[in-house]
Amino acid sequence: MEDIFLNKTFNSPEIEFIASTGELNIEGRSIPEDPGEFFDHLINWLNEYFLNPVDQTVMNIKLEYINSGSSKYMLELLRILKVNHEKGRNVLVKWYFEEGDESIEELGQHYEQTMQIPFEIIEFY
């Protein structure tokens, strides 16, 4: 399975999905013009990855900003983790927010309550 590496742009986050380590990194701003086009590839990859995952899958999410269109797709990525967690897979979400960024912190808390999967909300400076 090929890993995904996408460079950060003004409108889209950096993506590093590494199948051999189970490390899934999303970092930056997520305001792509067509969030479906951007996220569908990630959703398909994640579904394929969970056919033969490593022992622990960790999704690190460190967003500066996310629009509502992207938020819907982020929820879909998290749903895939939830489904696999319910199947007994070891998954963890690490949600990072910058000190004082209440909107990103609250979004992480919302996802944590909605998904009911192992979740860490981490403040950074």
Side-chain angles (χ1 to χ4, degrees):
M1 174 168 206
E2 285 195 32
D3 298 334
I4 298 178
F5 295 101
L6 300 174
N7 291 324
K8 182 188 305 189
T9 70
F10 182 76
N11 293 329
S12 62
E14 178 178 283
I15 304 293
E16 290 183 348
F17 282 16
I18 305 169
S20 62
T21 64
E23 187 138 344
L24 315 172
N25 299 310
I26 301 172
E27 182 175 347
R29 298 167 49 102
S30 189
I31 53 172
E33 278 186 42
D34 185 349
E37 182 180 325
F38 182 82
F39 281 96
D40 281 346
H41 179 58
L42 305 180
I43 290 166
N44 292 336
W45 186 95
L46 195 55
N47 280 317
E48 184 180 337
Y49 163 80
F50 274 113
L51 296 174
N52 188 25
V54 297
D55 289 341
Q56 183 178 35
T57 303
V58 178
M59 181 174 281
N60 297 294
I61 304 171
K62 192 175 192 180
L63 294 172
E64 300 165 17
Y65 182 79
I66 181 169
N67 66 7
S68 57
S70 294
S71 184
K72 178 181 114 176
Y73 287 94
M74 185 66 66
L75 196 57
E76 182 58 30
L77 291 173
L78 295 173
R79 273 195 198 108
I80 295 167
L81 293 179
K82 179 179 176 69
V83 165
N84 284 280
H85 174 68
E86 290 172 346
K87 291 179 180 177
R89 308 252 194 248
N90 187 1
V91 302
L92 172 64
V93 175
K94 292 184 178 181
W95 182 273
Y96 294 86
F97 70 96
E98 194 167 359
E99 176 186 27
D101 189 344
E102 292 177 9
S103 62
I104 294 293
E105 179 183 13
E106 289 170 2
L107 183 60
Q109 291 168 344
H110 169 73
Y111 285 148
E112 179 180 26
Q113 291 167 356
T114 303
M115 291 292 109
Q116 299 292 305
I117 58 176
F119 219 99
E120 293 178 14
I121 298 181
I122 303 163
E123 184 176 28
F124 70 93
Y125 306 94

Coordinates of all heavy atoms in Angstrom, one line a residue, residues 35-82:
P35 N -13.9 20.3 -1.1 CA -13.4 19.4 -0.1 C -13.6 17.9 -0.4 O -12.9 17.0 -0.1 CB -14.2 19.8 1.1 CG -15.3 20.6 0.7 CD -14.9 21.2 -0.7
G36 N -14.7 17.6 -1.2 CA -14.9 16.2 -1.6 C -13.7 15.7 -2.4 O -13.3 14.6 -2.2
E37 N -13.3 16.5 -3.4 CA -12.2 16.1 -4.2 C -10.9 15.8 -3.3 O -10.2 14.9 -3.5 CB -11.9 17.1 -5.3 CG -10.8 16.7 -6.2 CD -10.5 17.8 -7.3 OE1 -11.5 18.5 -7.7 OE2 -9.4 18.0 -7.6
F38 N -10.7 16.7 -2.4 CA -9.5 16.6 -1.5 C -9.6 15.4 -0.6 O -8.7 14.6 -0.5 CB -9.3 17.9 -0.7 CG -8.1 17.9 0.2 CD1 -6.8 18.2 -0.4 CD2 -8.2 17.5 1.5 CE1 -5.7 18.1 0.4 CE2 -7.0 17.5 2.3 CZ -5.8 17.8 1.7
F39 N -10.7 15.2 0.1 CA -10.9 14.2 1.1 C -11.2 12.8 0.6 O -11.0 11.9 1.3 CB -11.9 14.7 2.2 CG -11.3 15.7 3.2 CD1 -11.5 17.0 3.0 CD2 -10.6 15.3 4.3 CE1 -11.0 18.0 3.9 CE2 -10.0 16.2 5.2 CZ -10.2 17.5 4.9
D40 N -11.9 12.7 -0.5 CA -12.3 11.4 -1.0 C -11.1 10.4 -1.1 O -11.2 9.3 -0.8 CB -13.1 11.5 -2.3 CG -14.5 11.9 -2.1 OD1 -15.0 11.9 -1.0 OD2 -15.2 12.3 -3.1
H41 N -10.0 11.0 -1.6 CA -8.8 10.1 -1.7 C -8.3 9.6 -0.4 O -7.9 8.5 -0.2 CB -7.7 11.0 -2.4 CG -6.4 10.3 -2.6 ND1 -6.3 9.1 -3.3 CD2 -5.2 10.6 -2.2 CE1 -5.0 8.7 -3.3 NE2 -4.3 9.6 -2.6
L42 N -8.4 10.5 0.7 CA -8.0 10.1 2.0 C -8.9 9.1 2.6 O -8.5 8.1 3.3 CB -7.9 11.4 2.9 CG -7.0 12.5 2.4 CD1 -7.1 13.7 3.4 CD2 -5.6 12.1 2.2
I43 N -10.2 9.3 2.4 CA -11.2 8.3 2.9 C -11.0 7.0 2.3 O -11.0 5.9 3.0 CB -12.6 8.9 2.6 CG1 -12.9 10.1 3.5 CG2 -13.7 7.8 2.8 CD1 -14.1 10.9 3.2
N44 N -10.8 6.9 1.0 CA -10.6 5.7 0.3 C -9.3 5.0 0.8 O -9.3 3.8 1.0 CB -10.5 5.9 -1.2 CG -11.8 6.3 -1.8 OD1 -12.9 6.0 -1.3 ND2 -11.8 6.9 -3.0
W45 N -8.3 5.8 1.0 CA -7.0 5.2 1.5 C -7.2 4.6 2.8 O -6.7 3.5 3.1 CB -5.9 6.3 1.5 CG -4.6 5.8 1.8 CD1 -3.6 5.5 1.0 CD2 -4.0 5.6 3.2 NE1 -2.5 5.1 1.7 CE2 -2.7 5.1 3.0 CE3 -4.5 5.8 4.5 CZ2 -1.9 4.8 4.1 CZ3 -3.7 5.5 5.5 CH2 -2.4 5.0 5.4
L46 N -7.9 5.3 3.7 CA -8.1 4.9 5.1 C -8.9 3.6 5.1 O -8.6 2.7 5.9 CB -8.7 6.0 5.9 CG -8.7 5.8 7.4 CD1 -7.3 5.7 7.9 CD2 -9.4 7.0 8.1
N47 N -9.9 3.5 4.3 CA -10.7 2.3 4.3 C -9.9 1.1 3.8 O -9.9 0.0 4.3 CB -11.9 2.4 3.3 CG -13.1 3.2 4.0 OD1 -13.4 2.9 5.2 ND2 -13.7 4.1 3.3
E48 N -9.0 1.3 2.8 CA -8.1 0.3 2.3 C -7.1 -0.1 3.4 O -6.8 -1.3 3.6 CB -7.4 0.7 1.0 CG -6.5 -0.4 0.5 CD -5.8 0.0 -0.8 OE1 -6.3 1.0 -1.5 OE2 -4.8 -0.6 -1.1
Y49 N -6.5 0.9 4.1 CA -5.6 0.7 5.1 C -6.1 -0.2 6.2 O -5.4 -1.2 6.7 CB -5.1 2.0 5.8 CG -4.5 1.9 7.1 CD1 -3.1 1.6 7.2 CD2 -5.2 2.1 8.3 CE1 -2.5 1.4 8.4 CE2 -4.5 1.9 9.5 CZ -3.2 1.6 9.6 OH -2.6 1.5 10.8
F50 N -7.4 -0.1 6.6 CA -7.9 -0.9 7.7 C -8.3 -2.3 7.3 O -8.7 -3.1 8.1 CB -9.1 -0.2 8.3 CG -8.8 0.8 9.4 CD1 -8.9 2.1 9.2 CD2 -8.2 0.3 10.6 CE1 -8.6 3.0 10.2 CE2 -7.8 1.2 11.6 CZ -8.0 2.6 11.4
L51 N -8.0 -2.6 6.0 CA -8.1 -4.1 5.6 C -6.9 -4.8 6.2 O -7.0 -6.0 6.5 CB -8.1 -4.2 4.1 CG -9.3 -3.6 3.4 CD1 -9.1 -3.7 1.9 CD2 -10.6 -4.2 3.8
N52 N -5.8 -4.1 6.5 CA -4.6 -4.8 7.0 C -3.8 -3.7 7.8 O -2.7 -3.4 7.4 CB -3.8 -5.4 5.9 CG -2.7 -6.2 6.5 OD1 -2.7 -6.8 7.6 ND2 -1.6 -6.4 5.7
P53 N -4.4 -3.2 8.9 CA -3.7 -2.2 9.7 C -2.6 -2.7 10.5 O -2.5 -3.9 10.8 CB -4.8 -1.6 10.5 CG -5.7 -2.7 10.8 CD -5.7 -3.6 9.5
V54 N -1.7 -1.8 11.0 CA -0.7 -2.1 12.0 C -1.4 -2.2 13.4 O -2.5 -1.9 13.5 CB 0.5 -1.1 12.0 CG1 1.2 -1.2 10.6 CG2 0.1 0.3 12.3
D55 N -0.6 -2.5 14.4 CA -1.2 -2.7 15.7 C -1.9 -1.5 16.3 O -2.9 -1.6 16.9 CB -0.1 -3.2 16.7 CG 0.3 -4.6 16.4 OD1 -0.4 -5.3 15.8 OD2 1.4 -5.0 16.9
Q56 N -1.3 -0.3 16.1 CA -1.9 0.9 16.6 C -1.9 2.0 15.5 O -0.9 2.2 14.8 CB -1.2 1.5 17.8 CG -1.9 2.7 18.3 CD -1.3 3.4 19.5 OE1 -0.1 3.4 19.7 NE2 -2.1 3.9 20.4
T57 N -3.0 2.6 15.3 CA -3.2 3.7 14.3 C -3.4 5.0 15.1 O -4.3 5.1 15.9 CB -4.4 3.4 13.4 OG1 -4.3 2.1 12.8 CG2 -4.6 4.5 12.4
V58 N -2.6 5.9 14.8 CA -2.6 7.2 15.5 C -2.9 8.3 14.5 O -2.1 8.5 13.5 CB -1.4 7.6 16.3 CG1 -1.5 8.9 17.0 CG2 -1.1 6.5 17.4
M59 N -4.0 9.1 14.6 CA -4.2 10.2 13.7 C -3.9 11.5 14.5 O -4.5 11.8 15.5 CB -5.7 10.2 13.2 CG -6.0 11.4 12.3 SD -7.7 11.3 11.6 CE -7.4 10.1 10.3
N60 N -2.9 12.2 14.0 CA -2.5 13.5 14.6 C -3.2 14.6 13.8 O -2.9 14.7 12.6 CB -1.0 13.6 14.6 CG -0.3 12.6 15.4 OD1 -0.5 12.6 16.6 ND2 0.4 11.7 14.8
I61 N -4.0 15.4 14.4 CA -4.7 16.5 13.7 C -4.3 17.8 14.3 O -4.5 18.0 15.5 CB -6.2 16.3 13.7 CG1 -6.6 14.9 13.2 CG2 -6.9 17.4 13.0 CD1 -8.1 14.6 13.4
K62 N -3.7 18.7 13.5 CA -3.2 19.9 14.0 C -3.6 21.0 13.0 O -2.8 21.4 12.1 CB -1.6 19.9 14.1 CG -1.0 21.0 14.9 CD 0.5 20.7 15.0 CE 1.2 21.6 16.0 NZ 2.6 21.3 16.1
L63 N -4.8 21.5 13.2 CA -5.4 22.4 12.3 C -5.3 23.9 12.8 O -5.6 24.1 13.9 CB -6.8 22.1 12.0 CG -7.0 20.7 11.2 CD1 -8.5 20.4 11.2 CD2 -6.4 20.8 9.8
E64 N -5.0 24.8 11.9 CA -5.1 26.2 12.2 C -6.5 26.7 12.0 O -7.0 27.5 12.7 CB -4.2 27.0 11.2 CG -2.7 26.7 11.3 CD -2.0 27.2 10.1 OE1 -2.5 28.1 9.4 OE2 -0.9 26.8 9.8
Y65 N -7.2 26.1 10.9 CA -8.5 26.5 10.6 C -9.1 25.4 9.8 O -8.5 24.8 9.0 CB -8.6 27.8 9.8 CG -10.0 28.3 9.5 CD1 -10.8 28.9 10.4 CD2 -10.5 28.1 8.2 CE1 -12.1 29.3 10.1 CE2 -11.8 28.4 7.9 CZ -12.6 29.0 8.9 OH -13.9 29.4 8.6
I66 N -10.5 25.2 9.9 CA -11.2 24.2 9.1 C -12.5 24.8 8.8 O -13.2 25.3 9.7 CB -11.2 22.8 9.8 CG1 -12.0 21.8 8.9 CG2 -11.9 22.9 11.2 CD1 -11.9 20.4 9.4
N67 N -12.9 24.8 7.6 CA -14.3 25.3 7.2 C -15.3 24.2 7.3 O -15.0 23.0 7.6 CB -14.3 25.9 5.8 CG -14.0 25.0 4.7 OD1 -14.0 23.8 4.9 ND2 -13.8 25.5 3.5
S68 N -16.6 24.6 7.2 CA -17.6 23.6 7.5 C -17.6 22.5 6.5 O -17.9 21.3 6.8 CB -19.0 24.3 7.5 OG -19.2 25.0 6.3
G69 N -17.3 22.8 5.2 CA -17.2 21.7 4.2 C -16.2 20.7 4.5 O -16.4 19.5 4.4
S70 N -15.0 21.1 5.0 CA -13.9 20.2 5.4 C -14.3 19.4 6.7 O -14.0 18.3 6.8 CB -12.6 20.9 5.6 OG -12.2 21.5 4.4
S71 N -15.0 20.1 7.6 CA -15.4 19.5 8.8 C -16.2 18.3 8.6 O -16.1 17.3 9.3 CB -16.1 20.6 9.7 OG -16.4 20.0 10.9
K72 N -17.1 18.3 7.6 CA -17.9 17.2 7.3 C -17.1 16.0 6.9 O -17.3 14.8 7.4 CB -18.9 17.6 6.2 CG -19.8 16.5 5.7 CD -20.7 17.0 4.6 CE -20.3 16.2 3.4 NZ -21.2 16.5 2.2
Y73 N -16.1 16.2 6.1 CA -15.2 15.1 5.7 C -14.3 14.7 6.8 O -13.9 13.5 6.9 CB -14.4 15.5 4.4 CG -15.3 15.6 3.2 CD1 -15.9 16.8 2.8 CD2 -15.5 14.4 2.5 CE1 -16.7 16.8 1.7 CE2 -16.4 14.4 1.4 CZ -17.0 15.6 1.0 OH -17.8 15.7 -0.1
M74 N -13.9 15.6 7.7 CA -13.0 15.2 8.8 C -13.8 14.2 9.7 O -13.3 13.2 10.2 CB -12.6 16.4 9.6 CG -11.7 16.1 10.7 SD -10.1 15.6 10.2 CE -9.5 17.0 9.4
L75 N -15.1 14.5 9.8 CA -16.0 13.6 10.6 C -16.0 12.2 10.0 O -16.0 11.2 10.7 CB -17.4 14.3 10.7 CG -18.3 13.7 11.7 CD1 -17.8 13.8 13.1 CD2 -19.7 14.5 11.7
E76 N -16.0 12.2 8.7 CA -16.0 10.9 8.0 C -14.8 10.1 8.2 O -14.8 8.9 8.5 CB -16.3 11.1 6.5 CG -16.3 9.8 5.7 CD -17.4 8.8 6.2 OE1 -18.5 9.3 6.7 OE2 -17.3 7.6 6.0
L77 N -13.6 10.8 8.2 CA -12.3 10.1 8.6 C -12.4 9.6 10.0 O -12.0 8.4 10.2 CB -11.2 11.1 8.5 CG -10.8 11.6 7.1 CD1 -9.7 12.6 7.1 CD2 -10.3 10.4 6.2
L78 N -13.0 10.3 10.9 CA -13.1 9.9 12.3 C -14.1 8.7 12.4 O -13.9 7.8 13.2 CB -13.5 11.1 13.2 CG -12.4 12.2 13.3 CD1 -12.9 13.4 14.1 CD2 -11.1 11.7 13.9
R79 N -15.1 8.7 11.6 CA -16.1 7.6 11.6 C -15.4 6.3 11.2 O -15.7 5.3 11.8 CB -17.3 7.9 10.7 CG -18.4 8.7 11.3 CD -19.6 8.6 10.4 NE -20.5 9.7 10.8 CZ -20.7 10.8 10.1 NH1 -20.2 11.0 9.0 NH2 -21.5 11.8 10.6
I80 N -14.5 6.4 10.3 CA -13.8 5.2 9.9 C -13.0 4.7 11.0 O -12.9 3.4 11.3 CB -12.9 5.5 8.6 CG1 -13.8 5.8 7.4 CG2 -12.0 4.3 8.3 CD1 -13.1 6.4 6.2
L81 N -12.3 5.6 11.8 CA -11.6 5.1 13.0 C -12.6 4.5 14.0 O -12.2 3.5 14.6 CB -10.9 6.3 13.6 CG -9.7 6.9 12.8 CD1 -9.1 8.1 13.5 CD2 -8.6 5.9 12.5
K82 N -13.7 5.1 14.2 CA -14.7 4.6 15.1 C -15.1 3.2 14.8 O -15.2 2.3 15.6 CB -15.9 5.5 15.2 CG -17.0 5.1 16.2 CD -18.1 6.0 16.2 CE -19.3 5.6 17.1 NZ -19.0 5.6 18.5

